[in-house]
Amino acid sequence: MIKGTTKLLGVIGHPVEHSLSPAMHNAAISHLGVDFVYLPFPVKPGDLKAALAGFAAIGVRGFSITIPHKQAILPLLSEVSPIARAIGAVNTVYLTNKGWCGTNTDVEGFLAPLQTPPTPPYQGGAKDATSGLERGNTAVESCPPPYQGGARGGSDWSQKVAVILGNGGAARAVVAGCAQLGCAEIHVVGRSEQNLAEFQQSWVNCPMPVQNLQVHTWDNLSMLISQADLLVNTTPVGMYPQGEKSPVADAAIDRISAGAIVYDLIYTPNPTQFLKDAQLRGAQAIDGIEMLVQQGAAALKIWLDRESVPVDVMRLALQKHLGLS
């Protein structure tokens, strides 16, 4: 029940009507019984600065960011975490003693299914930040430190090869995640040699330099897939309504090793054709729902000052919303 004391969280974007975040966040909030609500806020690109001032004025406690604001908001923030600077995008914002602070939980969302058990995220920083909010302060300390995680099942990724399809914004979060896993080699596959060269160069002097990154055009994909321990699709190929498509041809996916992990950031359809093809060849599949849920859970921990939130509740709410359960 929304009351005069209810604290506001939300998501900004344009458009934002399609966002799945309210469904999973409000399910978690209801389960926890805390006096918060998570709302979608449509914000046009030209209104972003005014929206931040308005949020501060009415006491919004934090918000998620989706297209087209994830990069545009960077110069408007007082602080940006190293992980967000490395990725070049912010997806989670909350107030600090200096103003709005931005971070990015996409790396944690990406890594969560690859580690068992998960390492508690954001040691220290998030707790300090949101405890101030719970005391009723509008200012808190500082951005949380970058995610520190371990590899799946405690395995050693230092001898493993990651191959990433696409070189857009989502690929940046995946590269950062693979670097934190400690992958021996990180290969990014794209269409444009110029864009690939710029992508590689952008990691040289960033807050999280990636030394073992190589870039390739699509004609090298079959060779790379045969080496991959982790194959990740960050492209939109295969997304609804073109769910019959795959970014990888049959002849190339035939070369995947049995037991390799194949990960698609797309969450509808579920599973994608890419994942179906990989599973038929003995690969382990991870779909995009898990990353979506886990990045949202990481943000909610920051806002609510909790070591854990009901991830299962968030996942089920999302699956129901998508008609998958």
Side-chain angles (χ1 to χ4, degrees):
M1 178 179 177
I2 298 175
K3 302 173 291 186
T5 58
T6 301
K7 295 173 278 292
L8 298 178
L9 301 170
V11 54
I12 65 171
H14 186 73
V16 78
E17 294 83 1
H18 68 286
S19 175
L20 302 176
S21 295
M24 65 178 179
H25 282 299
N26 285 317
I29 286 167
S30 176
H31 181 85
L32 292 168
V34 293
D35 193 15
F36 281 78
V37 66
Y38 186 102
L39 302 171
F41 296 108
V43 176
K44 296 178 181 178
D47 295 335
L48 184 57
K49 186 174 182 179
L52 292 185
F55 285 174
I58 64 173
V60 171
R61 300 306 179 99
F63 55 93
S64 310
I65 308 169
T66 188
I67 295 171
H69 304 310
K70 296 177 88 169
Q71 291 82 35
I73 200 169
L74 283 163
L76 303 178
L77 299 172
S78 299
E79 292 188 63
V80 178
S81 68
I83 193 73
R85 287 205 180 278
I87 296 170
V90 165
N91 77 338
T92 301
V93 172
Y94 62 92
L95 280 176
T96 76
N97 58 344
K98 298 178 182 178
W100 291 110
C101 174
T103 190
N104 194 304
T105 63
D106 283 337
V107 174
E108 181 172 346
F110 167 71
L111 286 175
L114 298 174
Q115 56 176 38
T116 308
T119 301
Y122 301 116
Q123 301 292 331
K127 183 177 179 64
D128 293 341
T130 44
S131 61
L133 296 180
E134 288 205 343
R135 291 192 299 269
N137 298 337
T138 58
V140 292
E141 294 305 315
S142 62
C143 286
Y147 169 80
Q148 299 294 329
R152 188 176 193 174
S155 61
D156 180 7
W157 285 80
S158 65
Q159 304 300 314
K160 300 197 175 186
V161 174
V163 176
I164 300 163
L165 309 179
N167 58 296
R172 297 192 65 83
V174 173
V175 166
C178 290
Q180 291 196 25
L181 282 175
C183 292
E185 300 175 25
I186 303 171
H187 299 274
V188 170
V189 184
R191 303 286 182 187
S192 164
E193 289 187 8
Q194 179 179 342
N195 290 346
L196 285 165
E198 291 173 358
F199 184 92
Q200 185 172 32
Q201 183 61 33
S202 71
W203 290 95
V204 174
N205 296 315
C206 82
M208 285 181 55
V210 179
Q211 308 296 340
N212 55 345
L213 173 65
Q214 300 177 52
V215 296
H216 311 264
T217 53
W218 216 260
D219 52 358
N220 293 308
L221 182 58
S222 289
M223 177 269 293
L224 291 169
I225 284 179
S226 67
Q227 303 172 21
D229 299 291
L230 173 64
L231 177 64
V232 186
N233 177 39
T234 73
T235 79
V237 178
M239 183 183 295
Y240 177 85
Q242 297 182 318
E244 75 287 350
K245 293 187 176 182
S246 170
V248 181
D250 286 347
I253 201 67
D254 279 342
R255 305 193 67 177
I256 193 73
S257 299
I261 299 171
V262 178
Y263 198 146
D264 200 335
L265 303 194
I266 294 171
Y267 50 81
T268 181
N270 187 280
T272 59
Q273 189 62 49
F274 173 58
L275 292 184
K276 290 178 185 176
D277 292 344
Q279 283 182 296
L280 285 174
R281 291 155 176 85
Q284 303 177 56
I286 300 174
D287 64 60
I289 285 181
E290 197 60 23
M291 178 171 173
L292 182 63
V293 170
Q294 296 286 353
Q295 64 79 28
L300 198 58
K301 291 173 190 175
I302 294 174
W303 298 323
L304 299 186
D305 184 28
R306 287 180 177 263
E307 293 295 328
S308 64
V309 293
V311 177
D312 290 347
V313 171
M314 298 175 74
R315 185 184 300 109
L316 182 59
L318 199 55
Q319 290 170 338
K320 285 183 176 179
H321 190 81
L322 292 169
L324 299 174
S325 65

